[in-house]
């Protein structure tokens, strides 16, 4: 299978339209493309995202997700520059996301599209995690824990945090606190083990379901 994502090189005059063709059904590709969009706008270029099924074939930067490539490992990617075209190749969705993100960084650093260097990048470690201490039901008490409760309950915080993890090539989010289950379920045999009303527990369920979905969409 092959997913294709494309950006136009050519004259980089202000207002030049840059097509970005991706599989818009892939959350990781959409997020990766959004970083390229931002980089292009900083160059006063005009990015246009198009689903791969509507690609014209005239675009000049391509993202390929292929079944295998001898140079690329899991979550790795390759950027090639030849024949007036840039190609990002990966063997999985995380690698495609990292490749798109790296391309956005290169566009920023090169202040343009045509001088983006070729490279192959593979992860040295398969497990690259963050240990995140949740402030409620924490292993110790005090202001240093409770001061951040409101922030950690804000889903917008998690969106930004998970995106930061992607930018930093961190692929596992681990959450640490003493008693997670009372915040997620009410045990049938021990209902009083969960100290929340039905309404409170329902609110927690929305919170956790949303956070886990955000993490899954970003392959964390």
């Amino acid at each position: 299978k092959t997913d294709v994502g494309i950006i136009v090189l050519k004259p980089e005059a202000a207002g030049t339209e840059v097509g970005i063709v991706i599989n818009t059904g892939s959350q990781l590709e959409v997020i990766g493309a959004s970083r390229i969009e931002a980089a292009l706008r900083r160059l006063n270029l005009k990015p246009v995202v198009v689903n791969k099924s509507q690609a014209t074939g005239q675009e000049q930067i391509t993202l390929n997700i292929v079944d295998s490539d001898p140079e690329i490992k899991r979550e790795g990617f390759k950027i090639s520059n030849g024949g007036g075209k840039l190609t990002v190749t990966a063997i999985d969705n995380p690698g495609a996301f990292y490749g798109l993100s790296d391309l956005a960084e290169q566009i920023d650093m090169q202040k343009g599209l045509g001088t983006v260097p070729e490279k192959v990048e593979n992860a040295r470690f398969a497990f690259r995690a963050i240990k995140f201490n949740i402030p409620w039901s924490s292993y110790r008490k005090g202001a240093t824990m409770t001061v951040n409760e409101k922030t950690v309950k804000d889903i917008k915080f998690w969106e930004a945090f998970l995106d930061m993890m992607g930018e930093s090539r961190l692929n596992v989010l681990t959450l640490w606190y003493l008693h997670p289950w009372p915040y997620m379920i009410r045990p049938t045999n021990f209902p009083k083990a969960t100290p929340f009303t039905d309404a409170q527990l329902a609110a927690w369920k929305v919170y956790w379901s949303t956070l886990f979905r955000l993490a899954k969409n970003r392959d964390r």
Side-chain angles (χ1 to χ4, degrees), residues 35 97-98 128-132 158-174 215 218-220:
R35 294 179 179 174
F97 168 74
Y98 295 136
R128 307 180 302 279
I130 279 184
K131 178 181 183 289
F132 194 106
W158 284 114
E159 287 187 83
F161 191 88
L162 289 164
D163 286 347
M164 176 279 296
M165 287 183 62
E167 291 175 3
S168 304
R169 312 296 194 263
L170 296 164
N171 63 353
V172 180
L173 172 64
T174 67
R218 289 161 174 78
D219 202 56
R220 302 286 169 263

Side-chain angles (χ1 to χ4, degrees), residues 73-76 98 121-129 168-172:
K73 298 179 182 179
R74 183 176 178 271
E75 296 191 357
Y98 295 136
E121 187 169 301
N122 290 303
R124 183 175 180 182
F125 301 104
F127 188 86
R128 307 180 302 279
S168 304
R169 312 296 194 263
L170 296 164
N171 63 353
V172 180

Side-chain angles (χ1 to χ4, degrees), residues 28-44:
L28 280 177
E29 290 186 39
V30 170
I31 296 172
S34 72
R35 294 179 179 174
I36 293 176
E37 289 180 80
L40 294 170
R41 291 192 183 100
R42 286 190 285 272
L43 295 174
N44 296 316

Side-chain angles (χ1 to χ4, degrees), residues 9 27 34 41 44 51 62 94 144-146 157 177 188 217:
L9 286 179
Q27 185 69 18
S34 72
R41 291 192 183 100
N44 296 316
N51 190 46
T62 305
T144 55
M145 302 302 294
T146 58
F157 162 79
Y177 58 120
T188 302
N217 286 344

Side-chain angles (χ1 to χ4, degrees), residues 23 25 31 48 64 77 113 162 194 198 207:
N23 173 13
I31 296 172
V48 179
N64 288 324
F77 62 88
L113 301 171
L162 289 164
T194 298
D198 289 344
Y207 172 84

